[in-house]
Amino acid sequence: MSAGTVVLVGTAVFAVGCATGGTGLRDGGPARTETVSKTAPTATSTDGYAPSATPSGRPLKKVDPVALLKADPKVSAEIKRDLKPCTGKEYPVDVSYGKVTGSPVVDIVVNVLSCADALGRGSYVYRADGAKYENVFSDEQPPVYAEIDRGDLVVTKQVYGKSDALSYPSGEDVITYRWDGEKFTEQDRVHSEYSNVVDGGSQPAPAASQKN
């Protein structure tokens, strides 16, 4: 993420080493650290949230992202069915807290990954609606990974050709969304193509197209 990103990492992380067969970033979907979030809060209150401190000193309520996803009718049955721990209580879920919809309460970005290769299977944004959270964005077309960048929602999607192996995509789309007061609208799209190198690896080439 950029230095301007206002994000509080809401959960502890553990190495992707729990996955079997994963080789890291290239077969793990869009750009991200090689970690998978531990979703269970260390200390929960009676309402299911865990208090934490924000930079302003005001308490931040952390949610249980697994419970949030399973209770969300907008999350597909397939994602819910496969949402299981990789090892022990470690779910393949990344969670970020930050301002992306202009709400006075921090928004929640949740990414669901696969255990085997950390492939981004679904990305969701939840906005506070009173005592509950409303799903205001979802993308379940893998590989996908969403992040908060300077108040915008940035979604990264790797692009595969018919003959591409999972480890070596042909390119990447980086899509920037901005909240218009009611929904997210696309503001920018950058497509990069990877050039093949030794052993079929990929390296990003200069951006091929850009939408301003």
Side-chain angles (χ1 to χ4, degrees), residues 1 13 43 50 63 74 78-79 82 92 101 113 123 127 140 149 164 179 182 186 188 203 209:
M1 292 185 185
V13 296
V63 304
K74 294 183 179 180
E78 181 181 2
I79 293 290
D82 295 340
T101 70
L113 314 173
S123 297
R127 187 174 194 266
E140 294 183 336
D149 185 0
D164 289 345
W179 185 255
E182 296 182 353
E186 184 177 324
D188 184 75
Q203 295 293 333
S209 62

Side-chain angles (χ1 to χ4, degrees), residues 81-138:
R81 183 183 65 248
D82 295 340
L83 190 57
K84 300 175 182 178
C86 295
T87 58
K89 295 182 179 179
E90 311 290 352
Y91 283 83
V93 176
D94 282 353
V95 187
S96 297
Y97 298 83
K99 296 294 187 70
V100 72
T101 70
S103 171
V105 180
V106 293
D107 306 299
I108 303 170
V109 176
V110 181
N111 287 285
V112 178
L113 314 173
S114 61
C115 287
D117 46 33
L119 183 73
R121 299 192 58 199
S123 297
Y124 311 88
V125 178
Y126 291 92
R127 187 174 194 266
D129 182 12
K132 300 180 179 180
Y133 283 94
E134 176 188 4
N135 182 333
V136 293
F137 177 90
S138 61

Side-chain angles (χ1 to χ4, degrees), residues 2-185:
S2 69
T5 306
V6 183
V7 174
L8 299 177
V9 177
T11 53
V13 296
F14 72 96
V16 160
C18 75
T20 56
T23 57
L25 183 61
R26 282 275 60 83
D27 64 351
R32 56 183 300 276
T33 57
E34 295 183 28
T35 58
V36 181
S37 295
K38 178 178 180 180
T39 64
T42 56
T44 56
S45 60
T46 55
D47 61 1
Y49 296 96
S52 178
T54 65
S56 64
R58 292 177 295 179
L60 168 68
K61 288 186 174 181
K62 298 179 183 178
V63 304
D64 178 347
V66 174
L68 191 64
L69 291 167
K70 289 185 174 180
D72 184 357
K74 294 183 179 180
V75 176
S76 70
E78 181 181 2
I79 293 290
K80 291 179 180 179
R81 183 183 65 248
D82 295 340
L83 190 57
K84 300 175 182 178
C86 295
T87 58
K89 295 182 179 179
E90 311 290 352
Y91 283 83
V93 176
D94 282 353
V95 187
S96 297
Y97 298 83
K99 296 294 187 70
V100 72
T101 70
S103 171
V105 180
V106 293
D107 306 299
I108 303 170
V109 176
V110 181
N111 287 285
V112 178
L113 314 173
S114 61
C115 287
D117 46 33
L119 183 73
R121 299 192 58 199
S123 297
Y124 311 88
V125 178
Y126 291 92
R127 187 174 194 266
D129 182 12
K132 300 180 179 180
Y133 283 94
E134 176 188 4
N135 182 333
V136 293
F137 177 90
S138 61
D139 188 330
E140 294 183 336
Q141 296 182 352
V144 59
Y145 196 87
E147 301 175 280
I148 301 173
D149 185 0
R150 290 169 289 185
D152 290 334
L153 179 67
V154 178
V155 177
T156 303
K157 301 174 72 72
Q158 290 187 330
V159 179
Y160 291 87
K162 291 182 179 179
S163 61
D164 289 345
L166 181 63
S167 302
Y168 304 110
S170 295
E172 179 180 83
D173 287 329
V174 179
I175 311 165
T176 301
Y177 295 94
R178 189 165 298 161
W179 185 255
D180 67 3
E182 296 182 353
K183 64 183 184 303
F184 284 104
T185 59

Side-chain angles (χ1 to χ4, degrees), residues 178-197:
R178 189 165 298 161
W179 185 255
D180 67 3
E182 296 182 353
K183 64 183 184 303
F184 284 104
T185 59
E186 184 177 324
Q187 298 295 310
D188 184 75
R189 179 184 293 255
V190 176
H191 175 74
S192 297
E193 293 184 352
Y194 297 132
S195 58
N196 292 328
V197 292

